[in-house]
Amino acid sequence: MLLLRRSKCLIQFGVLNTQRHPVTPAVSSFAVRLWSNSTEHQRSDSWQRWRRGLVAGMLAGSGVVLAYGLCQHKAEQSHSMAPDMVRKSSVLPVFSQEEVTKHRSLEDRVWVTFQGGVYDITDFVSVHPGGSKIMLAAGGALEPFWSLYAVHNQEHVLEILAEYKVGELRAEDQQKQEAVKTLDPYSTDPERHPVLRINSLKPFNAEPPPEILTDSYITPSALFFKRNHLPVPQVDLDTYQLQVEGLPSGATKLSLEELKTRFPKHTVTVTLQCAGNRRSEMNKVKQVKGLNWDIAAISTATWSGARLRDVLLAAGYSPDVAHWAHHVHFEGLDKDVTGTMYGASIPLSKAVREEGEVILAYEMNGEPIPADHGFPVRAVVPGTVGARSVKWLGKIVVSAEESNSHWQQNDYKGFSPGTDWDTVDFRSAPAIQELPIQSAITTPVDGAMVDRSEEEVTVKGYAWSGGGREVVRVDVSLDGGKTWHVAELRSGEKGQDPEPSPHLGQAWAWKLWEVTAPLPAKAQDLEIICKAVDNSYNMQPDTIAPIWNLRGVLNNAWHRVRVKVRDTTN
């Protein structure tokens, strides 16, 4: 499982001592060649030490950091280099961020930045045990990756990294973000991990690369997809109060501390999915309006907080209220320039049913909820579209009517393929609550290449169904649907005991799946398909056209990727 704690070495060393081992690009390149020629016989033993160290460091499958292998590689290299070569002094050049960004491939060299320095790590990439995932950091900063993976918790990493240094990052680029923060209403938004694929900057909406989405059963908070409608609000805990209104007993106000101490803490693992997940595929059929999400606008976390049911009961809810009230509104603290808050609502029956497990969450993956995900409190509505799990929760209202919020009344609704923007009547369709059965392939990615010499191909992905319905089967085809293989399902971290089977109607989290199957004989191109089945025997439609809609929501057609087979015998 990916770990999310900052490396101690960053704290202990502070700013990198760039005077200790400065190396020019030419010297660095020559030194690497010298090491390569003189230590070829050591590589096999070194590789085995790398593997053992990486397993111990829990890096298996993460792939996007330098870590233990970097330490061993440079430690061995330093013994073979002449001391005067390593320490040869020169004034290092200054590079702009634009120049650094150009170095994102082996052909152009692989550069990264760290604490104002620029580093060329090209010669490490080819031996990186995590494979090509290290390239996710290419052309950008190392800090987010080093804070994401605990394996960097080694005191000598910074000293070794210094030997890869080729320059300094231009001061203007280091200061640019601070200079922008004076006028921008989004200037107080939190930092985000650079591996995320951005769909919009303001407001910020982004998803992780598919190939790392299913590396972990529980999605690290930094990689959890980000869906914001407005600027992230700044919340003062000293004055924060959650208001509960609409009950006969009058309004109730709760501080975060009261929410934690007055109500039992309930923990539940829940998958959240944006209604627009896989919208990019609908755009290929016919253009729609909305963010161009790929397949990763879905993630899973472990949430902890007070049950909404308990809070409503304490605020005066009784069975009599259900005679006139049918909805519970959530209002966020995020607002636009007019002061309009984001809002949504769910059925009262979902809110008060103990089995519904709706919580007012203040923890995500065992830590206080990060700013992007709703600090200090958010609603988590299991089995329901992510739009109803309102973040930065400020107000809860029990009501006879559905929320009149734009996002409840005029968005997140599905329509016939024949409905266009000239004929649409948003009042004619119900707001999306539960989502349909869904699955997607995360590995291999579309356009990948596989070698025929491997004889087999491994396909991985996720599957999930709304309303607490459990995924019971995933079928995978390598030949466009002519033949099928049944995938192995997983409901926990790989190598660990699976989570116990959920109670009927309470399967809130996804299943990760995997299948290894023989390559079809003589095939040059593969069309890999997946489709899932839940315990109500709901199945995915095979094509997108019949479910296309003008907002591009609810796309759950069979997911397809196309892969080329490379014949290595020629």
Side-chain angles (χ1 to χ4, degrees), residues 55-83:
V55 170
M58 300 184 71
L59 189 61
S62 63
V64 292
V65 290
L66 302 182
Y68 188 87
L70 170 61
C71 302
Q72 294 299 321
H73 176 66
K74 295 304 294 177
E76 291 170 1
Q77 179 178 350
S78 64
H79 291 301
S80 300
M81 287 182 178

Side-chain angles (χ1 to χ4, degrees), residues 297-309:
I298 182 172
S299 302
T300 298
T302 298
W303 310 90
S304 297
R307 288 182 186 265
L308 175 58
R309 167 188 166 84

Side-chain angles (χ1 to χ4, degrees), residues 380-403:
V380 173
V381 188
T384 300
V385 64
R388 311 303 168 212
S389 289
V390 174
K391 299 187 282 187
W392 313 292
L393 196 58
K395 185 184 294 185
I396 299 170
V397 181
V398 177
S399 174
E401 304 295 333
E402 195 178 40
S403 170

Side-chain angles (χ1 to χ4, degrees), residues 10 73 132 137 264 325 408 435:
L10 302 186
H73 176 66
S132 62
Q408 189 80 19
L435 287 172

Side-chain angles (χ1 to χ4, degrees), residues 49 68 77 117-118 140 175 185 259 293 301 312 338 422 462 535:
R49 290 197 298 274
Y68 188 87
Q77 179 178 350
V118 178
Q175 299 169 358
L259 200 62
W293 295 108
L312 292 179
T338 70
D422 294 326
Y462 65 79
N535 60 359

Side-chain angles (χ1 to χ4, degrees), residues 372-518:
D372 254 331
H373 297 291
F375 178 85
V377 178
R378 73 171 296 170
V380 173
V381 188
T384 300
V385 64
R388 311 303 168 212
S389 289
V390 174
K391 299 187 282 187
W392 313 292
L393 196 58
K395 185 184 294 185
I396 299 170
V397 181
V398 177
S399 174
E401 304 295 333
E402 195 178 40
S403 170
N404 63 4
S405 164
H406 162 80
W407 293 279
Q408 189 80 19
Q409 298 298 328
N410 298 309
D411 202 352
Y412 297 116
K413 294 184 176 183
F415 295 93
S416 163
T419 301
D420 59 28
W421 288 100
D422 294 326
T423 60
V424 65
D425 177 6
F426 276 91
R427 294 171 298 179
S428 67
I432 299 169
Q433 295 287 345
E434 296 178 359
L435 287 172
I437 180 75
Q438 176 71 282
S439 70
I441 299 163
T442 56
T443 303
V445 296
D446 194 54
M449 186 84 70
V450 297
D451 289 335
R452 182 167 298 285
S453 61
E454 298 293 332
E455 298 183 351
E456 296 178 324
V457 61
T458 297
V459 186
K460 302 178 183 180
Y462 65 79
W464 179 79
S465 192
R469 293 177 289 273
E470 183 178 10
V471 171
V472 296
R473 195 180 79 233
V474 173
D475 300 322
V476 180
S477 174
L478 302 185
D479 54 13
K482 296 175 184 176
T483 59
W484 296 90
H485 307 270
V486 177
E488 179 182 351
L489 304 181
R490 178 161 57 88
S491 57
E493 298 298 346
K494 200 163 189 176
Q496 298 181 7
D497 292 336
E499 294 293 320
S501 296
H503 293 110
L504 185 64
Q506 292 180 279
W508 308 128
W510 61 12
K511 296 284 184 74
L512 302 186
W513 56 264
E514 180 175 335
V515 63
T516 298

